[in-house]
Amino acid sequence: MSEGRTRERADAARNRRAILDATRKLLAEHGAEGVTMDRVAAVAGVGKGTIFHRFGSRAGLLHELVAEPAVALMEAVSSGPPPLGPGAPAAERLSAYFAAMTDLVIDNVELVVAYNAVPPHPRREEFHAFWAAHVTAMLAEARPDLDAEAVGALLLASLGGELASRMVRAGEADRLRAAMRDLVASVLRAPGPA
């Protein structure tokens, strides 16, 4: 491989990172509505054509940003240290997962809002199936008396809807964390004898 091709790849990688970082910065400063390709290009120090060449569209750029934390969380759940990763009791893993997912939503709220306005991510079904399988398995182990699939879907929906984003945007991130922690804990508590 020639040195020119190596440098080209390094430049492309730097540009990719600069574009993603610029988009995150703009999301944090201006919200989902304030992210335009022109602004991203100016903050990243690249031409708008570079963004389109790399990501194809605003949706492609947002898809890339959504995938980064989602893939990182999937890896942590699959092979990271306990309690999020394997090796901890199911109830602890479930609590750790929902704490991490809540933080992911909070840390990326403007991205989530922007993402919800574009066509679905090409890996959306894969991501959702992974979360559903994990939550269902942990619930089935921790609370075999429950319909783990239905209860897990309801728990997941509580973070995927408009309420979670609205709470974070209103400055209620700590309230959302506490509510999710209480909700998961209440599901994990087995009912006493009747």
Side-chain angles (χ1 to χ4, degrees), residues 39-112:
R39 281 184 169 169
V40 171
V43 172
V46 301
K48 195 161 80 168
T50 301
I51 300 171
F52 282 106
H53 176 72
R54 178 70 190 209
F55 300 101
S57 65
R58 182 175 186 265
L61 175 57
L62 295 173
H63 289 164
E64 184 78 15
L65 281 172
V66 164
E68 284 187 334
V71 169
L73 183 54
M74 287 170 74
E75 290 171 358
V77 165
S78 297
S79 59
L84 190 55
E92 288 179 33
R93 289 194 73 199
L94 192 68
S95 295
Y97 166 77
F98 275 103
M101 182 57 86
T102 303
D103 285 341
L104 187 147
V105 169
I106 290 168
D107 294 344
N108 296 283
V109 69
E110 293 302 328
L111 174 59
V112 170

Short mmCIF file of all heavy atoms in Angstrom, two decimals, residues 39-112:
data_model
loop_
_atom_site.label_atom_id
_atom_site.label_comp_id
_atom_site.label_asym_id
_atom_site.label_seq_id
_atom_site.Cartn_x
_atom_site.Cartn_y
_atom_site.Cartn_z
N ARG A 39 -23.98 24.15 8.72
CA ARG A 39 -23.38 24.39 10.04
C ARG A 39 -22.38 23.30 10.40
O ARG A 39 -21.32 23.58 10.95
CB ARG A 39 -24.46 24.45 11.12
CG ARG A 39 -25.19 25.76 11.19
CD ARG A 39 -26.16 25.75 12.36
NE ARG A 39 -26.67 27.08 12.59
CZ ARG A 39 -27.68 27.34 13.41
NH1 ARG A 39 -28.27 26.35 14.07
NH2 ARG A 39 -28.09 28.58 13.58
N VAL A 40 -22.73 22.05 10.14
CA VAL A 40 -21.82 20.94 10.44
C VAL A 40 -20.52 21.12 9.67
O VAL A 40 -19.43 20.99 10.23
CB VAL A 40 -22.47 19.58 10.12
CG1 VAL A 40 -21.44 18.45 10.23
CG2 VAL A 40 -23.65 19.31 11.05
N ALA A 41 -20.62 21.44 8.38
CA ALA A 41 -19.42 21.62 7.55
C ALA A 41 -18.55 22.75 8.11
O ALA A 41 -17.32 22.61 8.21
CB ALA A 41 -19.82 21.91 6.10
N ALA A 42 -19.18 23.87 8.49
CA ALA A 42 -18.41 25.01 9.00
C ALA A 42 -17.70 24.65 10.30
O ALA A 42 -16.52 24.95 10.47
CB ALA A 42 -19.34 26.21 9.21
N VAL A 43 -18.40 24.00 11.23
CA VAL A 43 -17.80 23.65 12.52
C VAL A 43 -16.73 22.58 12.36
O VAL A 43 -15.69 22.62 13.01
CB VAL A 43 -18.89 23.22 13.53
CG1 VAL A 43 -18.27 22.69 14.81
CG2 VAL A 43 -19.81 24.39 13.85
N ALA A 44 -16.97 21.62 11.45
CA ALA A 44 -16.00 20.53 11.24
C ALA A 44 -14.80 20.97 10.42
O ALA A 44 -13.77 20.30 10.41
CB ALA A 44 -16.69 19.36 10.55
N GLY A 45 -14.93 22.10 9.72
CA GLY A 45 -13.83 22.57 8.88
C GLY A 45 -13.66 21.75 7.60
O GLY A 45 -12.55 21.56 7.11
N VAL A 46 -14.79 21.26 7.08
CA VAL A 46 -14.77 20.49 5.84
C VAL A 46 -15.81 21.07 4.89
O VAL A 46 -16.67 21.85 5.29
CB VAL A 46 -15.08 18.98 6.08
CG1 VAL A 46 -14.08 18.36 7.03
CG2 VAL A 46 -16.50 18.78 6.58
N GLY A 47 -15.73 20.68 3.64
CA GLY A 47 -16.74 21.08 2.69
C GLY A 47 -18.01 20.28 2.88
O GLY A 47 -17.97 19.13 3.32
N LYS A 48 -19.13 20.88 2.52
CA LYS A 48 -20.40 20.18 2.64
C LYS A 48 -20.40 18.91 1.79
O LYS A 48 -20.98 17.89 2.18
CB LYS A 48 -21.54 21.12 2.23
CG LYS A 48 -22.90 20.63 2.64
CD LYS A 48 -23.95 21.72 2.67
CE LYS A 48 -24.47 22.02 1.29
NZ LYS A 48 -25.68 22.87 1.32
N GLY A 49 -19.72 18.95 0.66
CA GLY A 49 -19.63 17.78 -0.20
C GLY A 49 -18.96 16.60 0.48
O GLY A 49 -19.31 15.45 0.23
N THR A 50 -18.00 16.89 1.36
CA THR A 50 -17.33 15.83 2.12
C THR A 50 -18.33 15.10 3.00
O THR A 50 -18.29 13.87 3.12
CB THR A 50 -16.19 16.42 2.98
OG1 THR A 50 -15.26 17.07 2.11
CG2 THR A 50 -15.49 15.36 3.81
N ILE A 51 -19.23 15.84 3.61
CA ILE A 51 -20.24 15.23 4.48
C ILE A 51 -21.17 14.34 3.65
O ILE A 51 -21.44 13.20 4.02
CB ILE A 51 -21.04 16.30 5.24
CG1 ILE A 51 -20.11 17.14 6.11
CG2 ILE A 51 -22.13 15.65 6.10
CD1 ILE A 51 -20.77 18.35 6.74
N PHE A 52 -21.63 14.88 2.54
CA PHE A 52 -22.53 14.10 1.70
C PHE A 52 -21.83 12.88 1.12
O PHE A 52 -22.42 11.81 1.03
CB PHE A 52 -23.13 14.97 0.58
CG PHE A 52 -24.24 15.85 1.06
CD1 PHE A 52 -24.04 17.21 1.22
CD2 PHE A 52 -25.48 15.32 1.37
CE1 PHE A 52 -25.07 18.04 1.67
CE2 PHE A 52 -26.52 16.13 1.83
CZ PHE A 52 -26.31 17.50 1.98
N HIS A 53 -20.57 13.03 0.76
CA HIS A 53 -19.82 11.89 0.22
C HIS A 53 -19.69 10.79 1.27
O HIS A 53 -19.83 9.60 0.98
CB HIS A 53 -18.44 12.35 -0.26
CG HIS A 53 -17.58 11.23 -0.75
ND1 HIS A 53 -17.82 10.58 -1.94
CD2 HIS A 53 -16.51 10.61 -0.19
CE1 HIS A 53 -16.92 9.63 -2.10
NE2 HIS A 53 -16.12 9.62 -1.04
N ARG A 54 -19.42 11.19 2.50
CA ARG A 54 -19.18 10.22 3.57
C ARG A 54 -20.47 9.60 4.10
O ARG A 54 -20.54 8.42 4.39
CB ARG A 54 -18.41 10.92 4.70
CG ARG A 54 -18.13 10.07 5.90
CD ARG A 54 -17.11 9.02 5.58
NE ARG A 54 -17.02 8.07 6.65
CZ ARG A 54 -15.95 7.40 6.95
NH1 ARG A 54 -14.86 7.57 6.26
NH2 ARG A 54 -15.94 6.55 7.93
N PHE A 55 -21.51 10.43 4.28
CA PHE A 55 -22.72 9.98 4.96
C PHE A 55 -23.96 9.91 4.07
O PHE A 55 -24.98 9.36 4.48
CB PHE A 55 -23.00 10.86 6.18
CG PHE A 55 -21.90 10.83 7.19
CD1 PHE A 55 -20.97 11.86 7.26
CD2 PHE A 55 -21.76 9.77 8.05
CE1 PHE A 55 -19.94 11.83 8.18
CE2 PHE A 55 -20.73 9.72 8.99
CZ PHE A 55 -19.80 10.77 9.04
N GLY A 56 -23.91 10.53 2.91
CA GLY A 56 -25.02 10.46 1.97
C GLY A 56 -26.11 11.49 2.18
O GLY A 56 -26.65 12.03 1.23
N SER A 57 -26.44 11.76 3.43
CA SER A 57 -27.54 12.68 3.75
C SER A 57 -27.47 13.04 5.23
O SER A 57 -26.69 12.46 5.99
CB SER A 57 -28.88 12.02 3.45
OG SER A 57 -29.08 10.91 4.32
N ARG A 58 -28.33 13.96 5.63
CA ARG A 58 -28.45 14.31 7.05
C ARG A 58 -28.88 13.06 7.84
O ARG A 58 -28.37 12.80 8.93
CB ARG A 58 -29.46 15.44 7.23
CG ARG A 58 -29.62 15.91 8.67
CD ARG A 58 -30.55 17.13 8.73
NE ARG A 58 -30.61 17.70 10.05
CZ ARG A 58 -31.55 17.40 10.95
NH1 ARG A 58 -32.51 16.53 10.65
NH2 ARG A 58 -31.55 17.97 12.14
N ALA A 59 -29.80 12.29 7.28
CA ALA A 59 -30.24 11.06 7.93
C ALA A 59 -29.08 10.10 8.11
O ALA A 59 -28.92 9.49 9.18
CB ALA A 59 -31.36 10.39 7.12
N GLY A 60 -28.23 9.94 7.10
CA GLY A 60 -27.07 9.06 7.20
C GLY A 60 -26.11 9.50 8.29
O GLY A 60 -25.55 8.68 9.02
N LEU A 61 -25.93 10.81 8.42
CA LEU A 61 -25.08 11.35 9.48
C LEU A 61 -25.69 11.06 10.85
O LEU A 61 -24.99 10.59 11.76
CB LEU A 61 -24.92 12.86 9.27
CG LEU A 61 -24.17 13.65 10.33
CD1 LEU A 61 -22.76 13.11 10.55
CD2 LEU A 61 -24.11 15.13 9.94
N LEU A 62 -26.98 11.28 11.00
CA LEU A 62 -27.64 10.99 12.27
C LEU A 62 -27.62 9.50 12.58
O LEU A 62 -27.44 9.10 13.73
CB LEU A 62 -29.06 11.54 12.26
CG LEU A 62 -29.18 13.05 12.18
CD1 LEU A 62 -30.63 13.47 11.99
CD2 LEU A 62 -28.57 13.74 13.39
N HIS A 63 -27.78 8.68 11.55
CA HIS A 63 -27.72 7.23 11.76
C HIS A 63 -26.36 6.82 12.32
O HIS A 63 -26.28 5.97 13.21
CB HIS A 63 -27.98 6.49 10.45
CG HIS A 63 -29.40 6.56 10.00
ND1 HIS A 63 -29.77 6.25 8.71
CD2 HIS A 63 -30.55 6.90 10.64
CE1 HIS A 63 -31.08 6.39 8.58
NE2 HIS A 63 -31.57 6.79 9.74
N GLU A 64 -25.30 7.41 11.78
CA GLU A 64 -23.95 7.08 12.27
C GLU A 64 -23.80 7.48 13.73
O GLU A 64 -23.25 6.74 14.54
CB GLU A 64 -22.91 7.81 11.42
CG GLU A 64 -21.49 7.47 11.76
CD GLU A 64 -21.03 6.13 11.21
OE1 GLU A 64 -21.70 5.57 10.33
OE2 GLU A 64 -20.00 5.65 11.69
N LEU A 65 -24.32 8.65 14.10
CA LEU A 65 -24.23 9.11 15.48
C LEU A 65 -25.05 8.23 16.43
O LEU A 65 -24.63 7.97 17.55
CB LEU A 65 -24.72 10.56 15.60
CG LEU A 65 -23.72 11.62 15.16
CD1 LEU A 65 -24.38 12.98 15.14
CD2 LEU A 65 -22.50 11.63 16.07
N VAL A 66 -26.20 7.78 15.98
CA VAL A 66 -27.04 6.91 16.80
C VAL A 66 -26.37 5.55 17.01
O VAL A 66 -26.43 4.97 18.09
CB VAL A 66 -28.44 6.73 16.15
CG1 VAL A 66 -29.19 5.56 16.74
CG2 VAL A 66 -29.25 8.00 16.29
N ALA A 67 -25.73 5.05 15.96
CA ALA A 67 -25.12 3.72 16.04
C ALA A 67 -23.97 3.66 17.04
O ALA A 67 -23.80 2.63 17.70
CB ALA A 67 -24.64 3.28 14.66
N GLU A 68 -23.18 4.72 17.15
CA GLU A 68 -22.00 4.66 18.04
C GLU A 68 -22.35 4.27 19.48
O GLU A 68 -21.84 3.29 19.99
CB GLU A 68 -21.24 5.99 18.00
CG GLU A 68 -20.40 6.18 16.77
CD GLU A 68 -19.53 7.41 16.84
OE1 GLU A 68 -19.86 8.37 17.56
OE2 GLU A 68 -18.50 7.41 16.15
N PRO A 69 -23.23 5.01 20.16
CA PRO A 69 -23.53 4.61 21.54
C PRO A 69 -24.33 3.32 21.63
O PRO A 69 -24.17 2.56 22.58
CB PRO A 69 -24.31 5.80 22.11
CG PRO A 69 -24.83 6.54 20.93
CD PRO A 69 -23.86 6.28 19.81
N ALA A 70 -25.16 3.05 20.62
CA ALA A 70 -25.94 1.81 20.63
C ALA A 70 -25.03 0.60 20.55
O ALA A 70 -25.18 -0.36 21.31
CB ALA A 70 -26.95 1.81 19.48
N VAL A 71 -24.06 0.65 19.64
CA VAL A 71 -23.12 -0.47 19.49
C VAL A 71 -22.26 -0.61 20.75
O VAL A 71 -22.01 -1.72 21.22
CB VAL A 71 -22.27 -0.31 18.22
CG1 VAL A 71 -21.12 -1.29 18.18
CG2 VAL A 71 -23.16 -0.47 16.98
N ALA A 72 -21.83 0.50 21.32
CA ALA A 72 -21.01 0.45 22.54
C ALA A 72 -21.80 -0.21 23.68
O ALA A 72 -21.26 -1.03 24.43
CB ALA A 72 -20.56 1.85 22.94
N LEU A 73 -23.08 0.12 23.80
CA LEU A 73 -23.89 -0.48 24.86
C LEU A 73 -24.12 -1.96 24.57
O LEU A 73 -24.08 -2.79 25.49
CB LEU A 73 -25.23 0.26 25.01
CG LEU A 73 -26.14 -0.22 26.13
CD1 LEU A 73 -25.43 -0.25 27.49
CD2 LEU A 73 -27.39 0.65 26.21
N MET A 74 -24.34 -2.32 23.32
CA MET A 74 -24.51 -3.73 22.97
C MET A 74 -23.26 -4.53 23.35
O MET A 74 -23.36 -5.63 23.90
CB MET A 74 -24.77 -3.89 21.46
CG MET A 74 -26.15 -3.44 21.04
SD MET A 74 -26.36 -3.34 19.23
CE MET A 74 -26.46 -5.08 18.81
N GLU A 75 -22.09 -3.97 23.07
CA GLU A 75 -20.84 -4.65 23.42
C GLU A 75 -20.68 -4.77 24.93
O GLU A 75 -20.25 -5.81 25.43
CB GLU A 75 -19.65 -3.91 22.80
CG GLU A 75 -19.59 -4.06 21.29
CD GLU A 75 -18.54 -3.17 20.62
OE1 GLU A 75 -17.86 -2.37 21.32
OE2 GLU A 75 -18.43 -3.26 19.38
N ALA A 76 -21.05 -3.73 25.67
CA ALA A 76 -20.95 -3.78 27.13
C ALA A 76 -21.88 -4.85 27.70
O ALA A 76 -21.51 -5.57 28.63
CB ALA A 76 -21.28 -2.42 27.73
N VAL A 77 -23.07 -4.96 27.15
CA VAL A 77 -24.03 -5.97 27.60
C VAL A 77 -23.53 -7.37 27.26
O VAL A 77 -23.65 -8.31 28.05
CB VAL A 77 -25.43 -5.70 26.98
CG1 VAL A 77 -26.34 -6.91 27.11
CG2 VAL A 77 -26.06 -4.46 27.61
N SER A 78 -22.96 -7.53 26.07
CA SER A 78 -22.53 -8.85 25.60
C SER A 78 -21.26 -9.34 26.27
O SER A 78 -21.13 -10.52 26.59
CB SER A 78 -22.30 -8.83 24.10
OG SER A 78 -23.49 -8.57 23.43
N SER A 79 -20.29 -8.43 26.47
CA SER A 79 -18.98 -8.90 26.92
C SER A 79 -18.28 -7.96 27.90
O SER A 79 -17.12 -8.18 28.22
CB SER A 79 -18.07 -9.14 25.71
OG SER A 79 -17.93 -7.93 24.97
N GLY A 80 -18.97 -6.96 28.38
CA GLY A 80 -18.36 -6.04 29.34
C GLY A 80 -18.36 -6.61 30.73
O GLY A 80 -18.87 -7.71 30.98
N PRO A 81 -17.81 -5.85 31.66
CA PRO A 81 -17.78 -6.32 33.05
C PRO A 81 -19.17 -6.28 33.69
O PRO A 81 -20.02 -5.49 33.28
CB PRO A 81 -16.82 -5.32 33.73
CG PRO A 81 -16.87 -4.09 32.89
CD PRO A 81 -17.15 -4.55 31.49
N PRO A 82 -19.39 -7.12 34.69
CA PRO A 82 -20.66 -7.08 35.41
C PRO A 82 -20.76 -5.77 36.21
O PRO A 82 -19.73 -5.18 36.50
CB PRO A 82 -20.59 -8.29 36.34
CG PRO A 82 -19.26 -8.91 36.16
CD PRO A 82 -18.50 -8.16 35.14
N PRO A 83 -21.90 -5.29 36.53
CA PRO A 83 -23.18 -5.97 36.37
C PRO A 83 -23.82 -5.77 34.99
O PRO A 83 -24.78 -6.47 34.68
CB PRO A 83 -24.05 -5.34 37.46
CG PRO A 83 -23.54 -3.95 37.58
CD PRO A 83 -22.05 -4.05 37.32
N LEU A 84 -23.33 -4.85 34.18
CA LEU A 84 -23.94 -4.66 32.86
C LEU A 84 -23.67 -5.87 31.97
O LEU A 84 -24.56 -6.36 31.28
CB LEU A 84 -23.39 -3.38 32.21
CG LEU A 84 -24.07 -2.89 30.94
CD1 LEU A 84 -25.56 -2.72 31.12
CD2 LEU A 84 -23.44 -1.60 30.47
N GLY A 85 -22.44 -6.37 32.01
CA GLY A 85 -22.07 -7.53 31.22
C GLY A 85 -22.34 -8.82 31.97
O GLY A 85 -22.83 -8.82 33.11
N PRO A 86 -22.03 -9.94 31.35
CA PRO A 86 -22.27 -11.25 31.96
C PRO A 86 -21.56 -11.43 33.30
O PRO A 86 -20.52 -10.82 33.55
CB PRO A 86 -21.70 -12.23 30.93
CG PRO A 86 -21.65 -11.48 29.65
CD PRO A 86 -21.42 -10.04 30.02
N GLY A 87 -22.15 -12.26 34.16
CA GLY A 87 -21.52 -12.61 35.42
C GLY A 87 -22.24 -12.12 36.65
O GLY A 87 -21.93 -12.54 37.76
N ALA A 88 -23.20 -11.25 36.49
CA ALA A 88 -23.98 -10.75 37.63
C ALA A 88 -25.36 -11.41 37.60
O ALA A 88 -25.80 -11.89 36.56
CB ALA A 88 -24.11 -9.24 37.56
N PRO A 89 -26.05 -11.42 38.73
CA PRO A 89 -27.42 -11.93 38.74
C PRO A 89 -28.31 -11.13 37.78
O PRO A 89 -28.07 -9.94 37.54
CB PRO A 89 -27.88 -11.73 40.19
CG PRO A 89 -26.61 -11.66 40.98
CD PRO A 89 -25.59 -11.03 40.07
N ALA A 90 -29.33 -11.79 37.26
CA ALA A 90 -30.19 -11.18 36.24
C ALA A 90 -30.80 -9.86 36.70
O ALA A 90 -30.86 -8.90 35.93
CB ALA A 90 -31.29 -12.16 35.84
N ALA A 91 -31.25 -9.78 37.94
CA ALA A 91 -31.87 -8.55 38.43
C ALA A 91 -30.87 -7.39 38.42
O ALA A 91 -31.21 -6.26 38.04
CB ALA A 91 -32.43 -8.76 39.83
N GLU A 92 -29.63 -7.66 38.81
CA GLU A 92 -28.60 -6.62 38.80
C GLU A 92 -28.27 -6.20 37.37
O GLU A 92 -28.08 -5.01 37.09
CB GLU A 92 -27.33 -7.11 39.50
CG GLU A 92 -27.46 -7.21 41.00
CD GLU A 92 -26.17 -7.73 41.65
OE1 GLU A 92 -25.07 -7.45 41.14
OE2 GLU A 92 -26.31 -8.42 42.67
N ARG A 93 -28.20 -7.17 36.47
CA ARG A 93 -27.91 -6.86 35.07
C ARG A 93 -29.02 -6.02 34.46
O ARG A 93 -28.77 -5.08 33.71
CB ARG A 93 -27.72 -8.14 34.25
CG ARG A 93 -26.43 -8.86 34.58
CD ARG A 93 -26.09 -9.91 33.57
NE ARG A 93 -25.64 -9.26 32.33
CZ ARG A 93 -25.62 -9.85 31.15
NH1 ARG A 93 -26.02 -11.10 31.01
NH2 ARG A 93 -25.20 -9.20 30.08
N LEU A 94 -30.28 -6.35 34.78
CA LEU A 94 -31.40 -5.60 34.24
C LEU A 94 -31.38 -4.17 34.77
O LEU A 94 -31.58 -3.21 34.00
CB LEU A 94 -32.72 -6.29 34.60
CG LEU A 94 -33.93 -5.76 33.86
CD1 LEU A 94 -33.85 -6.11 32.37
CD2 LEU A 94 -35.21 -6.33 34.45
N SER A 95 -31.13 -4.00 36.05
CA SER A 95 -31.05 -2.66 36.63
C SER A 95 -29.91 -1.87 36.00
O SER A 95 -30.08 -0.69 35.66
CB SER A 95 -30.86 -2.74 38.15
OG SER A 95 -31.99 -3.31 38.76
N ALA A 96 -28.77 -2.52 35.81
CA ALA A 96 -27.62 -1.85 35.19
C ALA A 96 -27.92 -1.47 33.75
O ALA A 96 -27.54 -0.39 33.28
CB ALA A 96 -26.39 -2.75 35.27
N TYR A 97 -28.60 -2.35 33.03
CA TYR A 97 -28.95 -2.06 31.64
C TYR A 97 -29.85 -0.83 31.56
O TYR A 97 -29.60 0.08 30.77
CB TYR A 97 -29.64 -3.26 30.96
CG TYR A 97 -30.29 -2.85 29.68
CD1 TYR A 97 -29.52 -2.65 28.53
CD2 TYR A 97 -31.65 -2.57 29.60
CE1 TYR A 97 -30.10 -2.22 27.35
CE2 TYR A 97 -32.23 -2.15 28.43
CZ TYR A 97 -31.45 -1.96 27.31
OH TYR A 97 -32.02 -1.51 26.15
N PHE A 98 -30.90 -0.80 32.36
CA PHE A 98 -31.81 0.34 32.28
C PHE A 98 -31.15 1.63 32.77
O PHE A 98 -31.45 2.71 32.25
CB PHE A 98 -33.14 0.06 32.97
CG PHE A 98 -34.09 -0.65 32.07
CD1 PHE A 98 -34.31 -2.01 32.21
CD2 PHE A 98 -34.73 0.02 31.04
CE1 PHE A 98 -35.17 -2.69 31.34
CE2 PHE A 98 -35.58 -0.65 30.16
CZ PHE A 98 -35.80 -2.00 30.32
N ALA A 99 -30.24 1.55 33.71
CA ALA A 99 -29.49 2.74 34.11
C ALA A 99 -28.64 3.23 32.94
O ALA A 99 -28.60 4.43 32.64
CB ALA A 99 -28.62 2.44 35.32
N ALA A 100 -27.96 2.31 32.25
CA ALA A 100 -27.12 2.68 31.11
C ALA A 100 -27.96 3.20 29.95
O ALA A 100 -27.59 4.19 29.30
CB ALA A 100 -26.28 1.48 30.66
N MET A 101 -29.09 2.57 29.68
CA MET A 101 -29.94 3.02 28.57
C MET A 101 -30.55 4.38 28.89
O MET A 101 -30.68 5.23 28.01
CB MET A 101 -31.03 1.97 28.28
CG MET A 101 -31.93 2.35 27.12
SD MET A 101 -31.07 2.65 25.55
CE MET A 101 -31.00 0.99 24.90
N THR A 102 -30.93 4.60 30.14
CA THR A 102 -31.45 5.91 30.52
C THR A 102 -30.39 6.97 30.32
O THR A 102 -30.67 8.05 29.77
CB THR A 102 -31.94 5.89 31.99
OG1 THR A 102 -32.93 4.87 32.14
CG2 THR A 102 -32.52 7.23 32.40
N ASP A 103 -29.15 6.69 30.73
CA ASP A 103 -28.06 7.64 30.51
C ASP A 103 -27.82 7.87 29.02
O ASP A 103 -27.55 9.00 28.60
CB ASP A 103 -26.77 7.17 31.18
CG ASP A 103 -26.80 7.36 32.69
OD1 ASP A 103 -27.62 8.16 33.19
OD2 ASP A 103 -26.00 6.70 33.38
N LEU A 104 -27.92 6.82 28.22
CA LEU A 104 -27.74 6.96 26.78
C LEU A 104 -28.79 7.92 26.22
O LEU A 104 -28.47 8.82 25.43
CB LEU A 104 -27.84 5.59 26.11
CG LEU A 104 -27.50 5.54 24.62
CD1 LEU A 104 -26.87 4.19 24.30
CD2 LEU A 104 -28.71 5.74 23.76
N VAL A 105 -30.04 7.77 26.63
CA VAL A 105 -31.11 8.66 26.16
C VAL A 105 -30.84 10.09 26.64
O VAL A 105 -30.96 11.05 25.87
CB VAL A 105 -32.48 8.15 26.63
CG1 VAL A 105 -33.58 9.20 26.40
CG2 VAL A 105 -32.83 6.85 25.92
N ILE A 106 -30.48 10.25 27.90
CA ILE A 106 -30.23 11.58 28.46
C ILE A 106 -29.04 12.24 27.77
O ILE A 106 -29.12 13.40 27.36
CB ILE A 106 -29.99 11.49 29.99
CG1 ILE A 106 -31.30 11.14 30.69
CG2 ILE A 106 -29.39 12.79 30.53
CD1 ILE A 106 -31.15 10.73 32.15
N ASP A 107 -27.96 11.51 27.61
CA ASP A 107 -26.75 12.09 27.01
C ASP A 107 -26.92 12.42 25.54
O ASP A 107 -26.15 13.20 24.99
CB ASP A 107 -25.57 11.11 27.17
CG ASP A 107 -25.16 10.92 28.62
OD1 ASP A 107 -25.56 11.75 29.47
OD2 ASP A 107 -24.45 9.94 28.90
N ASN A 108 -27.90 11.80 24.90
CA ASN A 108 -28.09 11.98 23.46
C ASN A 108 -29.49 12.48 23.13
O ASN A 108 -30.00 12.21 22.05
CB ASN A 108 -27.83 10.65 22.74
CG ASN A 108 -26.41 10.20 22.89
OD1 ASN A 108 -25.52 10.70 22.22
ND2 ASN A 108 -26.17 9.25 23.78
N VAL A 109 -30.11 13.23 24.02
CA VAL A 109 -31.52 13.59 23.83
C VAL A 109 -31.75 14.36 22.54
O VAL A 109 -32.72 14.08 21.81
CB VAL A 109 -32.09 14.35 25.05
CG1 VAL A 109 -31.47 15.74 25.19
CG2 VAL A 109 -33.61 14.44 24.95
N GLU A 110 -30.91 15.30 22.20
CA GLU A 110 -31.12 16.06 20.96
C GLU A 110 -30.91 15.18 19.74
O GLU A 110 -31.60 15.32 18.73
CB GLU A 110 -30.24 17.30 20.92
CG GLU A 110 -30.61 18.34 21.96
CD GLU A 110 -32.06 18.84 21.88
OE1 GLU A 110 -32.62 18.90 20.76
OE2 GLU A 110 -32.63 19.17 22.92
N LEU A 111 -29.99 14.25 19.85
CA LEU A 111 -29.78 13.29 18.77
C LEU A 111 -31.02 12.40 18.61
O LEU A 111 -31.47 12.14 17.50
CB LEU A 111 -28.54 12.45 19.03
CG LEU A 111 -28.26 11.30 18.06
CD1 LEU A 111 -28.11 11.81 16.64
CD2 LEU A 111 -27.01 10.55 18.51
N VAL A 112 -31.59 11.97 19.73
CA VAL A 112 -32.79 11.14 19.69
C VAL A 112 -33.93 11.90 19.03
O VAL A 112 -34.65 11.37 18.17
CB VAL A 112 -33.18 10.66 21.11
CG1 VAL A 112 -34.56 10.01 21.12
CG2 VAL A 112 -32.14 9.71 21.66
#
